[in-house]
Every structure is written in structure tokens, then in C-alpha cells.
Amino acid sequence: MQSASPDDLAVAFRSIPRRLREAQGEAPHELTSNPTAEMHGLLAEAGRLLGTNDDPSALADAVTAVHADAWDEAVLERLQQIALDLGRLLRHISALGEGRS
């Protein structure tokens, strides 16, 4: 995702709720609360960058609303990093749930 297009970012943000549900599975809240809180912090940062809230659908809509040649490169790069970090956290949450016996 290092050079993800804005459309790729929109898809990534829009898929967060489903991917989080799948990653959490039956894992207890206390096991996944820290990485989930970190995810919410990243979503909030993305919302601030895009002038919206931390709702993944609102983030995706905000990304698609920016014209392709109107992107601030620093903002786009930070959003790409946030998307990578969200993916890392989702994999971590999934591994926590799978590690239970």
C-alpha cells in the first residue's frame, strides 16, 4: 500500500469494520482492547487530516471527494501509513484471537 491510490485508501477504510469483526472473532474484549484503541486513534487522526470524523465510511467518502490533482502529498503519504498501520493492527488482533486455546 506504500503507493496506494486514493481509491485504494477509500476501499481500505471502508473495509475496516468488517475486517475488525473478522479479526476479533470470539476473542475476549480485554485481549483486543489495546490494539483496538490504537486503531481508533489512527482513525481519529485520519479524520482530522481529512476534516471529518473517525467513522471508516466517512473517511472513505472524504478520500473519494478529493480531486486526484488536489492531494497534498504529505497528507496522502500519512494516510497511506495509517492504512498500513491499521492493517498491521488487524493482523495483530487476529493473531491474539488465534492464540487462545
Side-chain angles (χ1 to χ4, degrees), residues 28-50:
H29 173 74
E30 51 279 356
L31 191 62
T32 62
S33 63
N34 287 342
T36 300
E38 189 176 344
M39 284 185 65
H40 287 292
L42 289 168
L43 292 169
E45 180 184 353
R48 285 188 299 277
L49 289 169
L50 291 166

Side-chain angles (χ1 to χ4, degrees), residues 72-86:
D72 175 310
E73 276 304 310
V75 170
L76 186 57
E77 287 177 19
R78 181 60 190 139
L79 290 171
Q80 291 168 337
Q81 186 58 54
I82 288 171
L84 288 171
D85 289 343
L86 289 168

Side-chain angles (χ1 to χ4, degrees), residues 6 8-17 19 42-43 46-47 50 55-61 63 78-80 82-83 86:
D8 294 335
L9 289 171
V11 169
F13 284 130
R14 211 173 295 284
S15 70
I16 292 293
R19 293 177 63 200
L42 289 168
L43 292 169
L50 291 166
D55 176 70
S57 290
L59 294 169
D61 291 344
V63 166
R78 181 60 190 139
L79 290 171
Q80 291 168 337
I82 288 171
L86 289 168

